[in-house]
Amino acid sequence: MNQLYDVAIIGSGEAGIFAGYELKKLRPELKVLVLDQGADIYSRHCPIVAGKVDHCVNCPICDTMCGFGGAGAFSDGKFNFTTAFGGWLTDYMDAGEVMELIRYVDSINVKFGATTQRYSTQTPEAQALEKKALEHDLHLLQAECKHLGTENNLRILTNIYEYLKSDIEYRFRTGVEHIDPAGEGYRLTLAGGEQVDCTYLVAAPGRSGAEWFSGECKRLGINLINNQVDIGVRVELPAKVFEHITDVVYESKLVYRTKQYGDSVRTFCMNPYGHVVAENVEGINTVNGHSYSAPELRSENTNFALLVSNKFTQPFTEPYRYGKHIASLSNMLAGGVLVQRFGDLVKGVRTNDHRLGQSYTRPTLKAAVPGDLSLALPKRQLDDIIEMIYALDKIAPGTANYDTLLYGAEVKFYSGRVDLTSELETPMKNFFAIGDGAGTTRGLAQAGASGIKVARVIAGRI
């Protein structure tokens, strides 16, 4: 006979963690199971970070992306207090409720060691930056931001895991193959063939599980709403170029509408004095950035993503596969992450080892292979990125320097959004979908908020 749980949570990223936390707080008597294809917080070790290899070796399960803490565990821990970006929870509930949930998630993080320092866009210095940006048709989005720091983020997650693990059953290195209705609840078929039953099901698959979750939704007849596709590059330049901005607001969310195509381009995940890192999403190497709080761990560079958002119409229904295809082209050309100097890109010249060696900006991702981004990224997105770099150069002179480095491809993988109720419930009763992998959020704050919301709904029903 299959084991029966009151609640099963698929995924132990930010959304799954906070769903478990709130269930433990509100209904400690419940039998809760959390399943994750990755490892616990202590066993997540990337061979590149550990210094064992200088390039991605395509581990079957990427410890950078999967496991307790999800993809956010090794991020630099930017926590944004806003509903203007970071997800679409306001499509399902009032903005005031979303902000209450975000503040509550922050209070939990503080309880487990997070900083109380915030960067605000309401200071006179930030207001002056906003005005200067507007003079050049750049829009600085308003939000308070906390920088947890990559090393502190891991410490906070470790503390939360220690708090939860005695009351919640975690099964790591345990993937879920299929979801099926079973009586009044659901049956999960695990990778090894074992089956478990639950009354309430919470899908929090994270970015690495987005494609799997989309496939399961289609198999179950759950309608998917098209989501946007975000494709771009990670920019790396001397920290001094953006110092006057990052010292004031840290995470500067700048949005620009290109004149050539009318597309929206934005800065994302800014890492002052940070490091560019590679990620492995189901065998596809993409790029990301980290930033540490400790001065001794910092670099001399700042990195950030430039992402072009495109929304597609029918018959397009697979944003995840499209993003993977674009990323795979740079993998094909470079065997991994590709890097090119901005001046070479504009000039139509492929960056090679010799040209990269002449660059005054030294790459922090040593494993990146010099190449030509124009052979990997679609022309429209590349034109948008080039136009955005020239726009940024007007408020941060030096952005468009010849030696500014561009890494590709940076792709944000999101599932097609599931049609959900105001309680984040799918059309199937007591089956909820939360977090980035379900297409409802994109970032730590709203992902955690979605987990709290669903836990409260379940606690109120039992």
Side-chain angles (χ1 to χ4, degrees), residues 98-170:
V98 177
M99 284 305 303
E100 182 274 324
L101 291 167
I102 289 173
R103 285 190 287 267
Y104 179 66
V105 171
D106 174 62
S107 72
I108 297 169
N109 282 332
V110 170
K111 174 182 174 181
F112 289 100
T115 180
T116 57
Q117 180 188 8
R118 299 189 188 186
Y119 293 86
S120 173
T121 52
Q122 298 303 313
T123 64
E125 295 84 359
Q127 294 294 305
L129 282 174
E130 182 184 17
K131 181 178 183 299
K132 185 176 181 180
L134 283 170
E135 290 171 0
H136 301 287
D137 207 12
L138 287 159
H139 302 268
L140 180 64
L141 300 184
Q142 301 294 311
E144 285 189 312
C145 174
K146 274 189 178 182
H147 175 223
L148 303 180
T150 301
E151 75 280 29
N152 293 331
N153 198 31
L154 284 169
R155 177 173 52 82
I156 295 163
L157 288 168
T158 301
N159 293 339
I160 294 175
Y161 177 61
E162 286 296 321
Y163 174 76
L164 295 176
K165 70 177 185 180
S166 60
D167 297 296
I168 293 175
E169 181 180 341
Y170 285 94

